Amino acid sequence: MDMWFYLSEQERFNDFNNEGALIWHETNIPYAIWGPESTRSLSLKYYPSEALKHNGTLYAHVFFARSGYPPDPSDPEYQPLAAFGRTHPVVVYLPKSKTDKRKSLLGNSEDSKKGEVVSQVVDDSQADSKDDGPVEWISYWKPNVTINLVDDFTKYPHNAVPPNIAPYLNVEPTSGNYFPTISFNEFWLLRDKLIALNETVEELTLNLEVGPISMTKWQIFMQIDQSFQVHRSYGSMIEGEADELKRVFLEGNPYLLVITMVVSMLHSVFDFLAFKNDIQFWNKNKSMEGLSAKSVVVSFISQLIVFLYLLDNDTSWMILGSSGVGCCIEFWKIGKAMHIEIDRSGRIPMLRFRDRDSYAGNKTKEYDDLAMKYLSYVLFLLVACSAVYSLMYERHKSWYSWILSSLTSCVYMFGFIMMCPQLFINYKLKSVAHLPWRQMTYKFLNTIIDDLFAFVIKMPMLHRLSVFRDDLIFLIYIYQRWVYPVDRSRVNEFGFGGEDDQASASEVPAIKEEEKKTN
């Protein structure tokens, strides 16, 4: 076949004699024959018109014809059954990139009065009442146009064409046959590659490619795009996540990608097991001897800060739901670690927390208070320094956002501090028999996996360093387990001691003998 590629500001094209509109012409392109001669490409510079710079529209008109036949219907040699074509817009209209409402709260930066433009493109589904005032739409240039001829010879029943294929099928009405399907493949065209059009744009890059595509691959691309659209409509995927997933396949090493997928599955399994054993431990726990109640409270506060931070940053509802459930579980653990009472003496009922007898009646509370006393000094100093730095050199939407971001940064960077009181209690009691070691083992395996991700995934340096924060704590836990021998007289993780098990085992024969006498 021969191919003609025209660019025009008109949606319907009939000006075949306009040499200025003809951008690309190829001859002798084989159909349904896979080989180097089946794929053609061209890169060129396009100079936009004034109308295009001011929200104008531009269409790509692609025509195919059997070699030797013209695509122009007014040509005497034109054959209707030998030529076909399709039109596709080269310009897409999207809401203008949102202006960041963040500013310097101290008002001492030069750009505090003007917003910083976010570089990402906003999805049209997000152009709703969240923005103040009317939404401004602008045009974006597609720098890559990929034309695929679908390799398809399927015989479809007249009224039973699959619904995902029917819109693309170009059926010739007299014979009932269909022309080869032309598909403009934009699956790998990421949003950040689009170029905003305005009066300052003088020239644009246009990369053209024509080639075959198998029916299976074409349907997979359509199915994945439809799946992304469904997830975005349900709120389970925010705009930009689909492009990031595609970027992993485009820029990532295939072997590293397979390893990452396997490791991610293991991470999910270990995370579920750690979650299961954590619930099981606290549900069956009968004694707080040797356990840090204050670490449980600090863990709940940290989880609540992260949840409020995600809520303030318009995060996907699925992530919010997961964080909210984790926050409720941390609060439930407080109820297992302490007595929670409702004080109705005042006008407003309030929650009061009281230490359990197994926690307050031994050295555990004393050691826990001592550890938190000194660690709180370090924590407050780090929080104050981080908050002051963020206030002076970073931009925020409001004072509330500044407080949340400062607290969240401290949770991410210094979260290991809340695990230190337990180390101090273990050191003073010279025992680790009271700890949920099964749950901690799964968490330690997840920490090793996080270390691997820190090397293979791009992330800020501070976040990369924070990934290794738990490693030191877990190594100290392992050292303590090796140094302190197992004390069979101490209460284990389910509230029972080894001597109790031996005593109960010795009582079983006596009970059975008594039952025999009774019978």
Side-chain angles (χ1 to χ4, degrees):
M1 295 182 295
D2 297 339
M3 184 199 71
W4 293 262
F5 185 95
Y6 296 90
L7 287 180
S8 172
E9 296 181 3
Q10 304 299 323
E11 188 172 3
R12 298 182 63 86
F13 185 78
N14 295 313
D15 194 7
F16 291 91
N17 296 323
N18 186 358
E19 294 294 335
L22 180 60
I23 303 298
W24 189 21
H25 177 53
E26 289 285 346
T27 59
N28 299 322
I29 300 176
Y31 174 65
I33 297 178
W34 296 79
E37 69 279 1
S38 300
T39 302
R40 314 286 175 87
S41 61
L42 176 68
S43 296
L44 53 90
K45 296 291 184 180
Y46 183 79
Y47 301 95
S49 64
E50 291 298 323
L52 186 59
K53 294 179 183 180
H54 295 83
N55 281 0
T57 306
L58 191 68
Y59 295 94
H61 305 276
V62 180
F63 297 93
F64 288 90
R66 288 182 180 271
S67 295
Y69 289 91
D72 187 2
S74 61
D75 194 294
E77 297 182 0
Y78 175 77
Q79 293 292 333
L81 299 181
F84 58 98
R86 192 179 174 194
T87 300
H88 184 73
V90 186
V91 173
V92 61
Y93 292 90
L94 296 171
K96 187 177 181 180
S97 297
K98 291 182 179 179
T99 301
D100 197 350
K101 298 180 181 179
R102 294 180 299 174
K103 59 183 179 180
S104 175
L105 298 178
L106 298 179
N108 55 357
S109 61
E110 297 179 357
D111 57 347
S112 61
K113 295 182 180 180
K114 53 185 179 181
E116 177 185 356
V117 178
V118 182
S119 59
Q120 66 182 5
V121 178
V122 183
D123 184 25
D124 53 1
S125 62
Q126 295 178 346
D128 51 17
S129 58
K130 293 182 180 179
D131 294 330
D132 298 330
V135 178
E136 181 181 358
W137 292 68
I138 62 175
S139 55
Y140 288 87
W141 174 264
K142 301 176 183 178
N144 301 323
V145 177
T146 302
I147 308 161
N148 287 141
L149 291 169
V150 182
D151 185 359
D152 181 25
F153 290 92
T154 307
K155 185 177 181 180
Y156 298 104
H158 276 287
N159 292 321
V161 181
N164 60 328
I165 298 177
Y168 302 93
L169 217 57
N170 184 10
V171 180
E172 204 282 319
T174 58
S175 63
N177 298 328
Y178 61 91
F179 294 99
T181 302
I182 302 175
S183 171
F184 287 87
N185 190 352
E186 295 183 348
F187 185 82
W188 300 112
L189 181 59
L190 306 184
R191 289 294 181 89
D192 59 356
K193 301 299 183 182
L194 300 177
I195 302 172
L197 293 174
N198 51 50
E199 60 275 3
T200 62
V201 178
E202 297 297 334
E203 66 175 18
L204 296 164
T205 301
L206 183 59
N207 301 309
L208 305 174
E209 182 178 343
V210 59
I213 187 173
S214 65
M215 187 67 176
T216 302
K217 186 176 180 180
W218 180 52
Q219 288 183 314
I220 289 176
F221 283 164
M222 289 194 300
Q223 187 65 37
I224 294 177
D225 276 335
Q226 291 175 2
S227 176
F228 287 157
Q229 292 176 5
V230 170
H231 281 292
R232 281 195 293 265
S233 64
Y234 289 158
S236 57
M237 175 181 288
I238 61 176
E239 184 61 28
E241 288 185 352
D243 281 3
E244 290 302 318
L245 181 60
K246 294 177 183 179
R247 196 187 309 277
V248 171
F249 289 91
L250 278 175
E251 302 176 0
N253 186 302
Y255 298 102
L256 186 60
L257 181 61
V258 172
I259 294 176
T260 304
M261 293 176 63
V262 174
V263 169
S264 299
M265 293 178 62
L266 291 176
H267 190 284
S268 301
V269 172
F270 291 146
D271 204 17
F272 171 77
L273 293 175
F275 170 80
K276 168 182 169 294
N277 284 277
D278 191 27
I279 297 295
Q280 185 179 15
F281 168 77
W282 286 102
N283 189 40
K284 295 183 178 181
N285 183 46
K286 297 180 180 179
S287 173
M288 283 298 296
E289 183 179 358
L291 296 174
S292 174
K294 288 183 172 57
S295 294
V296 178
V297 177
V298 173
S299 179
F300 165 71
I301 295 175
S302 300
Q303 189 73 27
L304 180 62
I305 291 173
V306 172
F307 174 76
L308 294 177
Y309 176 77
L310 295 175
L311 188 63
D312 186 58
N313 284 271
D314 298 329
T315 311
S316 170
W317 67 268
M318 290 192 68
I319 300 178
L320 280 175
S322 175
S323 179
V325 170
C327 193
C328 295
I329 292 175
E330 292 297 332
F331 185 78
W332 171 78
K333 287 165 63 174
I334 294 179
K336 290 294 184 178
M338 308 176 72
H339 288 291
I340 302 179
E341 302 172 347
I342 301 178
D343 185 7
R344 303 181 183 274
S345 58
R347 294 182 178 180
I348 301 176
M350 300 183 64
L351 294 178
R352 294 193 178 275
F353 300 90
R354 182 169 54 86
D355 294 331
R356 292 187 179 273
D357 297 335
S358 59
Y359 173 74
N362 53 56
K363 292 290 184 179
T364 301
K365 177 176 173 57
E366 177 184 345
Y367 298 149
D368 198 9
D369 292 341
L370 185 61
M372 287 300 298
K373 176 183 177 181
Y374 294 107
L375 287 174
S376 61
Y377 296 153
V378 179
L379 180 61
F380 291 152
L381 178 62
L382 293 175
V383 169
C385 293
S386 176
V388 171
Y389 177 85
S390 176
L391 182 62
M392 294 179 62
Y393 298 103
E394 296 179 359
R395 305 159 63 90
H396 306 278
K397 292 186 294 185
S398 62
W399 289 98
Y400 173 74
S401 297
W402 167 68
I403 294 173
L404 276 183
S405 62
S406 300
L407 293 177
T408 306
S409 299
C410 294
V411 169
Y412 283 146
M413 290 188 292
F414 315 119
F416 66 94
I417 290 181
M418 64 184 177
M419 303 177 67
C420 295
Q422 188 64 61
L423 294 176
F424 185 72
I425 294 175
N426 297 343
Y427 168 72
K428 286 295 186 179
L429 296 179
K430 306 299 181 185
S431 175
V432 293
H434 45 273
L435 296 179
W437 280 104
R438 184 176 299 176
Q439 174 226 359
M440 294 179 66
T441 301
Y442 293 131
K443 286 190 174 182
F444 183 53
L445 293 174
N446 269 348
T447 301
I448 297 176
I449 294 175
D450 291 337
D451 295 342
L452 175 63
F453 281 141
F455 288 106
V456 301
I457 296 178
K458 292 191 299 184
M459 61 181 65
M461 181 55 65
L462 283 177
H463 187 72
R464 190 186 302 273
L465 294 176
S466 69
V467 171
F468 301 98
R469 69 190 179 194
D470 296 336
D471 294 356
L472 179 62
I473 301 296
F474 278 115
L475 290 176
I476 297 176
Y477 275 131
I478 293 176
Y479 173 75
Q480 288 182 336
R481 182 177 176 85
W482 175 68
V483 170
Y484 304 138
V486 177
D487 186 359
R488 301 290 296 179
S489 64
R490 291 197 60 81
V491 177
N492 67 0
E493 58 186 85
F494 300 114
F496 300 99
E499 293 180 352
D500 296 337
D501 295 339
Q502 294 177 359
S504 60
S506 61
E507 292 174 358
V508 171
I511 295 176
K512 290 185 177 181
E513 188 68 24
E514 186 68 24
E515 289 178 352
K516 288 182 180 180
K517 291 180 180 180
T518 304
N519 294 333

